[in-house]
Structures are given as C-alpha cells and as structure tokens.
Amino acid sequence: LSAKAKSLCEAINKHLCDDEIACTFLAPEGGYFIFLKFPEWLNTTELLPIASDKFKVKYTPGERCLGGTNTARVSFAFYSAEEMEEGVLRLRQAILHYKRTHAA
C-alpha cells in the first residue's frame, strides 16, 4: 500500500496544497487513510453533497472521525493512482465551487 499512499499524497500536494485551497496533511506511516485539514472557511460536511452530486467524488467528513468541521478522511486502499489523481482533481473542483458559493 505504500505506493498507493505515495500516489495519493502526490496528488494532494499537486492539487490541494496551493494558496487557493491551502490543504495540509501528514503522510501516513500505515493504514488506509489520509486525514486532510482545510482552512476554517471550508465545512466538509456541507461540501459532501456538492462533491458527491455535482463532482462525483466522496470522502468522509472529519466530524465523523472525531475531527473538526474543516477536516476530511480520504482512502487510498481501493483505487489506482489514476483514479486517485482524478478524485483529487474532482475534490479540488468541488472545493473551489464551494468557496465561490458558500465561503465569505
């Protein structure tokens, strides 16, 4: 799984860690998930139906995993590198849509 984790980390760094979204995370040392932290303006529970319905990407909001409203858990266990890259790109699009329509 380490190659899959590395692929997802690279996609997150490439598409979510810029100044526009400012995501932070720690690379996993095991397990099947990466926990993401976003700026306070992003509520991942509010974002989920937008991400799922409009952009066809899903994740687990951090609130369901004892995290804050601006956190999310993503999995690398069941997906290819290409699928993870596409998923992160879709998540980026969903976040930017949310930012335009919900964030102050």
Side-chain angles (χ1 to χ4, degrees):
L1 287 174
S2 63
K4 287 186 171 193
K6 183 179 178 189
S7 292
L8 183 54
C9 287
E10 289 171 356
I12 293 166
N13 272 320
K14 182 178 177 183
H15 300 296
L16 300 180
C17 294
D18 59 1
D19 290 341
E20 196 164 20
I21 296 178
C23 174
T24 60
F25 70 99
L26 294 175
E29 294 182 12
Y32 300 99
F33 304 101
I34 297 176
F35 211 72
L36 308 176
K37 183 174 182 184
F38 297 100
E40 294 294 327
W41 55 261
L42 180 58
N43 181 314
T44 60
T45 299
E46 288 180 359
L47 175 65
L48 184 58
I50 296 165
S52 178
D53 296 344
K54 288 187 179 233
F55 298 94
K56 307 300 182 212
V57 65
K58 293 183 179 180
Y59 57 85
T60 302
E63 287 181 296
R64 295 185 191 164
C65 307
L66 304 177
T69 59
N70 63 322
T71 61
R73 187 179 78 171
V74 294
S75 174
F76 54 84
F78 304 107
Y79 307 100
S80 69
E82 294 80 16
E83 289 171 318
M84 289 186 284
E85 178 90 15
E86 179 65 26
V88 172
L89 279 169
R90 290 179 185 190
L91 182 56
R92 176 183 179 78
Q93 293 171 333
I95 292 168
L96 293 176
H97 174 82
Y98 178 92
K99 187 176 184 181
R100 286 190 306 272
T101 59
H102 291 76

